[in-house]
Amino acid sequence: MSKTILAISGSPRPKGNTESLLKALIDEALKAGKTVVNYRAADLKVGPCHGCCYCLKHNAVCVQKDDMPQILDNLRNCEAIVLASPVYYYGLSAQIKLVIDRFFALIEEGMAIKRAALLMTCGDDATAANPSIANFRAMANYLKWEEAGVVVAPNLHDPGEIEGRPELEEAKRLGAII
């Protein structure tokens, strides 16, 4: 049985550099025989966590009726997760942060995820991703996810600028091993 990877992109640009970086990883994972479930957070209707804890008393069912149940089902069943985001003001994009905050619904039930990777693009130097990397590592540690890798592609401003960059090869290598 092949390993199933949950990939979530936080980029609002469907043809942006973050999507290209994630596509490189996904293509290589598929070549390696893995199954990939891919979501673009910007295409989903996901509301912010209300902090009401309703989900903890109702089998991870939220009071909000949105697209989050499909993500939660994949967190229950996929062995690995890849989070991809541009750096926005030294953090993850709002689109992916909404999804991540709603992982809370499974905090008591648990997730099948064992390994995790982070892909980031930014218009600044690579240090702009450091706060997001620290957040990712803290989350992975708390959830007992093994870190499979982190790829940061810095100094990108326009869609397509990532083409030919070494970070695409890094993402491919990560796709083969995650």
Side-chain angles (χ1 to χ4, degrees), residues 105-150:
L106 295 178
I107 205 72
E108 290 180 356
E109 178 184 331
M111 304 174 199
I113 304 295
K114 301 292 180 232
R115 300 189 76 201
L118 177 66
L119 306 178
M120 299 209 71
T121 60
C122 58
D124 203 345
D125 64 56
T127 63
N130 287 348
S132 297
I133 294 168
N135 180 262
F136 166 76
R137 288 183 170 148
M139 178 176 56
N141 181 61
Y142 177 74
L143 295 170
K144 298 183 179 22
W145 296 345
E146 175 190 344
E147 181 183 316
V150 173

Side-chain angles (χ1 to χ4, degrees), residues 143-162:
L143 295 170
K144 298 183 179 22
W145 296 345
E146 175 190 344
E147 181 183 316
V150 173
V151 177
V152 178
N155 304 310
L156 298 170
H157 299 94
D158 297 316
E161 276 189 298
I162 197 166

